[in-house]
Each structure stands twice: as structure tokens, then as C-alpha cells.
């Protein structure tokens, strides 16, 4: 087995330039949160790579979201298969590539989505190619790539697809952003996005203020109420991140709205979270105003199950045995699709992608050497699963 592993590692070493070339190619494709055509172009490029490895495919298309790519190599194995998963869209709006093209400086790669998470997907694809190069066929390998994760699947049913496709598999590796301190994510908070709107009564601020009902003033009270819902003991945090309202300073505003971000640990907490926000909405400070609360979208929490813990130990051993460092189990506040494979009963580890920092910002970077290291790590993990 060690000899086979070294041959697979050598495959990665022999294809480093090719990996970087593919990385650059897909980063250069527009994959912003609303760039359906560009995301589908990325999907087509990844499909071509997998097609060369004999994968069977299904592409699920959505009217207003990037496609979801499902590929599978090998079937009818006695051992449960493994999943490599991720998302092809980025959080960076269109046009950023022209301003910040893919570049490498001092061992770091820069560009929109270079870290989150096109580099991780490239690493996974070359782990598959390396495994195929040594004739690996102990388990089927399924690739699940979403096209709209950065907008929390607002325009698709990707969460249901993840859960359905993952059923019966033995392990899942999410190629999300890797951490420079070697943290491997075993738990994530869920995310809920909620809109609160207030309608008031417009009036001239100088001549007729007594007949106005300020939507902004009503909202000001409710922003404080929403923020005060935070429950640190239960790991639930509320954040009013956007406020909009009014048209001119000379008028009593008749409309205001806020967008609320909620992070929570337990999937079953969401109904109570919604009730608390609705209670805030139902409380009236300024008579004559009316409030509406709307759940927009979200991602469920990734639970740290016993299976997740056991898979982390596999990753940890593979990490240490191959000189990649000493990883530790990490729980974070950001959501990911790992939640859905865990809900499907599949042990899952997250943040297995290239290492770097500053994702979702103009300074986003990835450590180039980690592209090759993570491909090898995946190879080592899959081979180690066969020995436990």
C-alpha cells in the first residue's frame, strides 16, 4: 500500500504545472454569485476532466442558478464510497477578474475564488486522477459540486440533492477553504437570512410631522431588540447587517427594511429563532406602523457526530504519517454544504481545500504548495479508509 501511495504522490508531483494551469483557467472564468453562464462554464471544464477518468455524469440545471455537477467513478463496490464535494461559484461579483487576475507572488496565488474554492476542487480532481493512475477501485468516488452555495442555494434545491446523493456513502470530504494553522472543520453553525420590513406613513417633516409615522424610528427600536436576542450560551447570534429606508431628509419615512443574519448550532433551533424575530416584529413602538418578517434562505448547521469525529482521526493520521503537520479539529461559525452530507448520515470533514486567507475579499490568497499537499492528503485518506 505504501508503494501505491508513493506512486500516487509521484503522479501529483509530475502534474504540478498542469494543476496550476487548470487552477488559473477556472479562476479566470467569471463565477460570481449571480453569474450563471460563468458557473456553468466552470462546470463544463470540470466535467471534461472527470470524463477523462471514466466518470458517469448528471448535470442538474436551474432557471436562475448555476448548475450542479454530479459525477461518479465506479459502482457496485462492497465498501461504501467516498464523496468529494464543493461549490463552483464565488462570493466575488462579476468584473473582479479584470481588476485582479490570477497571479502568483512569493508562493501565494491571488484572484477571485482562488481560495474559496476553486483551488480545493482542482486538488480533489487531481487526487482522483492520482488514484486512478494506480488502479484504485476499492470504492466508488462521487463528486458533488454545487453552483450557488455563496447565495445559500436561494434559487435551487441543492441541499435536498446533496442529501439524496450522499445516502449510503462512507465518507465525505468538503474542499472548502483550508486553514493555514492546519485546522480541519468538524462542525459549523447554520446560517439563516431574514428580512424585516416596516411600513409607516409619509409626511412633510416641517409642515405636517404629526401626521407621519416614521418607519425608520420604528426600525431603530427593533434593531436593538433583534441584536439583544443573541444567546451566547446556546451559540445563537443575531446580526443586523443592512438597513435601508427613507427617500429624503425632509420627509417622515414611510418604509424601512433590515436584513438579519443568524448563526446557530442546532438544526432544531430554527423555528424558535423565527418565533423570536416575529415577536419583535409584532411589538409596536410607533402606532400606525406595521412590520413583516420573511425568512429568505439559509444553510443548516453541520453537526459534529461520532462518525465525523472518527473520520477526523483518519485525516489526522494521514496528515501526520505523511509529514503534512499536525491538524486539529475546528468548529467555525460559517456554514457549508457539509451540513447536508452529515444530515444524510455520512461522516464528513470540511475545509479540506487549499490553505490561505482573506476569502470573500480583494486580498484573497491561497498557498500554492498546499494545492499539491491537499491532493496528496486526499489520496492518503482514501487509501487509509481501506485499512480500518
Amino acid at each position: 500500500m505504501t508503494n501505491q501511495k508513493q506512486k500516487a504522490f509521484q503522479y501529483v508531483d509530475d502534474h504540478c504545472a498542469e494543476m496550476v494551469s487548470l487552477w488559473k483557467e477556472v479562476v479566470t472564468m467569471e463565477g460570481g454569485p449571480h453569474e450563471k453562464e460563468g458557473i456553468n462554464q466552470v462546470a463544463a471544464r470540470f466535467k471534461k476532466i472527470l470524463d477523462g477518468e471514466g466518470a458517469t455524469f448528471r448535470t442538474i440545471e436551474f432557471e436562475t442558478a448555476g448548475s450542479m455537477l454530479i459525477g461518479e467513478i465506479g459502482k457496485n463496490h462492497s465498501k461504501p464510497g467516498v464523496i468529494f464535494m464543493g461549490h463552483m461559484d464565488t462570493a466575488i461579483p462579476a468584473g473582479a477578474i479584470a481588476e485582479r487576475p490570477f497571479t502568483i507572488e512569493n508562493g501565494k496565488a491571488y484572484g477571485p475564488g482562488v481560495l474559496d474554492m476553486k483551488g480545493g476542487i482542482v486538488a480533489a480532481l487531481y487526487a482522483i486522477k492520482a488514484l486512478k493512475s494506480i488502479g484504485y477501485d476499492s470504492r466508488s468516488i462521487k463528486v458533488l459540486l454545487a453552483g450557488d452555495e455563496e447565495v445559500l442555494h436561494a434559487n435551487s434545491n441543492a441541499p435536498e440533492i446533496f442529501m439524496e446523493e450522499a445516502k449510503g456513502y462512507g465518507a465525505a470530504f468538503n474542499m472548502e477553504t483550508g486553514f493555514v494553522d492546519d485546522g480541519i472543520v468538524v462542525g459549523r453553525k447554520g446560517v439563516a437570512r431574514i428580512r424585516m420590513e416596516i411600513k409607516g406613513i409619509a409626511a412633510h417633516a416641517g409642515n405636517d410631522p404629526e401626521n407621519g409615522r416614521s418607519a425608520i424610528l420604528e426600525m431603530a427600536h427593533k434593531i436593538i431588540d433583534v441584536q439583544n436576542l443573541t444567546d451566547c450560551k446556546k451559540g445563537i447570534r443575531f446580526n443586523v447587517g443592512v438597513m435601508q429606508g427613507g427617500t429624503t431628509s425632509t420627509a417622515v419615512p414611510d418604509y424601512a427594511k433590515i436584513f438579519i443574519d443568524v448563526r446557530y448550532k442546532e438544526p432544531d433551533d430554527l423555528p424558535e429563532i423565527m418565533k423570536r424575530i416575529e415577536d419583535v416584529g409584532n411589538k409596536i413602538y410607533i402606532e400606525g406602523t406595521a412590520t413583516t418578517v420573511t425568512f429568505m434562505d439559509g444553510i443548516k448547521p453541520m453537526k459534529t457526530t461520532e462518525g465525523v469525529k472518527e473520520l477526523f482521526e483518519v485525516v489526522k493520521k494521514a496528515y501526520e504519517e505523511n509529514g503534512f503537520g499536525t491538524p486539529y479539529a475546528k468548529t467555525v461559525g460559517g456554514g457549508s454544504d457539509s451540513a447536508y452530507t452529515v444530515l444524510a448520515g455520512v461522516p464528513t470533514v470540511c475545509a479540506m481545500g487549499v490553505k490561505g486567507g482573506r476569502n470573500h475579499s480583494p486580498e484573497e490568497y491561497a498557498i500554492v504548495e498546499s494545492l499539491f499537499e491537499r491532493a496528496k492528503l486526499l489520496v492518503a485518506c482514501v487509501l487509509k479508509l481501506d485499512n480500518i
Side-chain angles (χ1 to χ4, degrees), residues 22 42-59 68-74 84-85 88 121-130 132 141-145:
L22 176 62
V42 174
R45 185 66 182 95
F46 288 150
K47 182 177 182 295
K48 184 176 180 181
I49 296 290
L50 288 168
D51 189 52
E53 303 305 318
T56 57
F57 292 97
R58 278 166 294 139
T59 301
M68 186 166 183
L69 181 63
I70 303 169
E72 190 166 12
I73 300 174
F84 294 159
M85 60 189 289
M88 299 173 287
I121 298 174
V122 171
L125 295 179
Y126 273 82
I128 292 171
K129 290 169 75 71
K132 289 285 289 182
I141 300 175
K142 180 176 280 189
V143 178
L144 298 175
L145 300 177

Side-chain angles (χ1 to χ4, degrees), residues 276-344:
R276 291 183 187 181
I277 293 180
E278 287 165 358
D279 286 345
V280 171
N282 291 332
K283 186 175 182 179
I284 296 175
Y285 289 92
I286 308 298
E287 291 296 331
T289 62
T291 301
T292 303
V293 173
T294 305
F295 177 82
M296 297 171 63
D297 44 53
I299 288 183
K300 295 281 189 180
M302 174 193 177
K303 294 286 291 177
T304 308
T305 64
E306 288 304 313
V308 168
K309 294 177 183 177
E310 291 170 5
L311 183 58
F312 169 75
E313 291 301 320
V314 172
V315 175
K316 186 173 186 290
K317 289 176 182 176
Y319 221 104
E320 293 174 339
E321 289 173 0
N322 293 285
F324 299 143
T326 302
Y328 70 98
K330 186 181 185 82
T331 300
V332 296
S336 86
D337 290 321
S338 296
Y340 302 114
T341 49
V342 172
L343 284 171

Side-chain angles (χ1 to χ4, degrees), residues 85-159:
M85 60 189 289
H87 62 86
M88 299 173 287
D89 58 321
T90 75
I92 311 299
I97 292 169
E99 299 174 3
R100 302 191 304 279
F102 181 94
T103 57
I104 294 178
E105 296 178 7
N106 300 319
K108 295 179 180 179
Y110 297 87
V114 69
L115 175 66
D116 187 10
M117 56 174 290
K118 290 177 178 177
I121 298 174
V122 171
L125 295 179
Y126 273 82
I128 292 171
K129 290 169 75 71
L131 288 165
K132 289 285 289 182
S133 75
I134 61 172
Y136 179 84
D137 66 353
S138 298
R139 301 171 189 264
S140 62
I141 300 175
K142 180 176 280 189
V143 178
L144 298 175
L145 300 177
D148 66 338
E149 189 266 358
E150 294 291 4
V151 291
L152 307 181
H153 307 304
N155 300 307
S156 79
N157 66 330

Side-chain angles (χ1 to χ4, degrees), residues 14 20 37 90 136 199 242 249 275 304 306 333 347 364:
D14 291 343
V20 172
E37 183 177 341
T90 75
Y136 179 84
K199 291 185 178 180
V242 176
S249 63
K275 181 181 182 302
T304 308
E306 288 304 313
E364 180 174 353

Side-chain angles (χ1 to χ4, degrees), residues 29-253:
M29 297 175 182
E30 289 281 10
H34 305 291
E35 301 303 311
K36 177 181 175 180
E37 183 177 341
I39 295 165
N40 290 349
Q41 185 181 6
V42 174
R45 185 66 182 95
F46 288 150
K47 182 177 182 295
K48 184 176 180 181
I49 296 290
L50 288 168
D51 189 52
E53 303 305 318
T56 57
F57 292 97
R58 278 166 294 139
T59 301
I60 301 176
E61 298 183 357
F62 305 101
E63 185 176 350
T64 57
S67 296
M68 186 166 183
L69 181 63
I70 303 169
E72 190 166 12
I73 300 174
K75 288 185 177 181
N76 303 318
H77 295 295
S78 59
K79 297 177 181 178
V82 298
I83 295 170
F84 294 159
M85 60 189 289
H87 62 86
M88 299 173 287
D89 58 321
T90 75
I92 311 299
I97 292 169
E99 299 174 3
R100 302 191 304 279
F102 181 94
T103 57
I104 294 178
E105 296 178 7
N106 300 319
K108 295 179 180 179
Y110 297 87
V114 69
L115 175 66
D116 187 10
M117 56 174 290
K118 290 177 178 177
I121 298 174
V122 171
L125 295 179
Y126 273 82
I128 292 171
K129 290 169 75 71
L131 288 165
K132 289 285 289 182
S133 75
I134 61 172
Y136 179 84
D137 66 353
S138 298
R139 301 171 189 264
S140 62
I141 300 175
K142 180 176 280 189
V143 178
L144 298 175
L145 300 177
D148 66 338
E149 189 266 358
E150 294 291 4
V151 291
L152 307 181
H153 307 304
N155 300 307
S156 79
N157 66 330
E160 290 82 3
I161 297 171
F162 271 112
M163 287 188 285
E164 184 61 32
E165 292 292 332
K167 287 179 181 177
Y169 277 72
F173 301 91
N174 193 328
M175 305 309 297
E176 279 281 6
T177 300
F179 291 89
V180 294
D181 65 355
D182 294 316
I184 300 295
V185 171
V186 297
R188 289 181 178 270
K189 286 187 176 182
V191 184
R193 291 200 305 175
I194 300 155
R195 180 176 64 242
M196 182 180 286
E197 298 173 280
I198 293 181
K199 291 185 178 180
I201 299 174
H204 192 288
N207 296 336
D208 194 28
E210 62 274 7
N211 287 319
R213 298 293 184 269
S214 173
I216 288 179
L217 180 57
E218 177 73 10
M219 187 65 79
H221 288 287
K222 290 181 173 176
I223 288 172
I224 296 171
D225 288 346
V226 169
Q227 292 287 164
N228 285 339
L229 292 175
T230 291
D231 186 338
C232 294
K233 289 184 178 179
K234 293 190 70 175
I236 304 174
R237 291 190 175 275
F238 293 75
N239 179 64
V240 177
V242 176
M243 178 181 178
Q244 299 171 343
T247 55
T248 174
S249 63
T250 61
V252 176

